[in-house]
Amino acid sequence: MAPPNDLRGIHVMVVDDSEDSLYLVRLILQYYGAVVTTSGSVEEARHLLRTVHPHIVVSDIGMPHNGLGVVRDVVARAQLTGTVIPAIAMTAFHERRQELLAAGFVEVVEKPFDPGVLYRTVLSHARHDREYACESSRQQAADHR
């Protein structure tokens, strides 16, 4: 059976300091057709966001330099450019849900996560602008792997 392509044309940036987690999230999202750029740190994500323009960001919050920094940068960028990039938090600390939503995340996915929940969450918040140049997005992702 062929994998669904529901996320085809959607560029997702995944930020996590765990290589295993980055690999797993990338694998899941690519299975559904997404173009995925990964970052192993908040600093790297900040640098990438200067040149990479994802439709959505998925970020772990339990990283050195605090994963909340990613959403702050995404929100600040939106205020400057008028481009909204939804950010999804991944965390094992479900009791922080309200704090994370108040900080600017659009949704919280609890770790350990169900791949179907991650997929549905990204799908529900991704900007489905099929006119977006998917090939350009793929090239950006390839340039920053």
Side-chain angles (χ1 to χ4, degrees), residues 12-71:
V12 183
M13 177 183 282
V14 180
V15 185
D16 199 317
D17 61 337
S18 164
E19 286 186 35
D20 291 340
S21 186
L22 280 177
Y23 175 78
L24 180 60
V25 173
R26 176 195 293 238
L27 190 66
I28 291 165
L29 297 175
Q30 286 178 334
Y31 174 80
Y32 287 103
V35 174
V36 181
T37 298
T38 58
S39 171
S41 71
V42 174
E43 275 307 310
E44 183 183 11
R46 284 183 174 134
H47 177 73
L48 285 172
L49 283 169
R50 292 182 193 134
T51 58
V52 175
H53 307 289
H55 294 107
I56 193 162
V57 173
V58 176
S59 180
D60 179 45
I61 62 145
M63 295 183 286
H65 304 294
N66 196 341
L68 285 173
V70 174
V71 77

Side-chain angles (χ1 to χ4, degrees), residues 62-136:
M63 295 183 286
H65 304 294
N66 196 341
L68 285 173
V70 174
V71 77
R72 289 185 189 117
D73 289 350
V74 168
V75 169
R77 179 178 172 187
Q79 290 171 344
L80 289 174
T81 66
T83 304
V84 177
I85 302 172
I88 297 170
M90 292 190 309
T91 182
F93 305 104
H94 65 276
E95 65 275 1
R96 294 188 65 191
R97 179 179 180 77
Q98 292 307 315
E99 171 195 355
L100 297 171
L101 294 173
F105 286 100
V106 296
E107 190 61 70
V108 178
V109 173
E110 293 182 25
K111 286 183 169 184
F113 61 87
D114 176 310
V117 169
L118 176 65
Y119 154 70
R120 286 188 299 278
T121 303
V122 169
L123 181 64
S124 70
H125 291 286
R127 188 179 75 189
H128 290 276
D129 181 0
R130 299 296 183 199
E131 298 300 311
Y132 184 79
C134 184
E135 194 54 43
S136 170

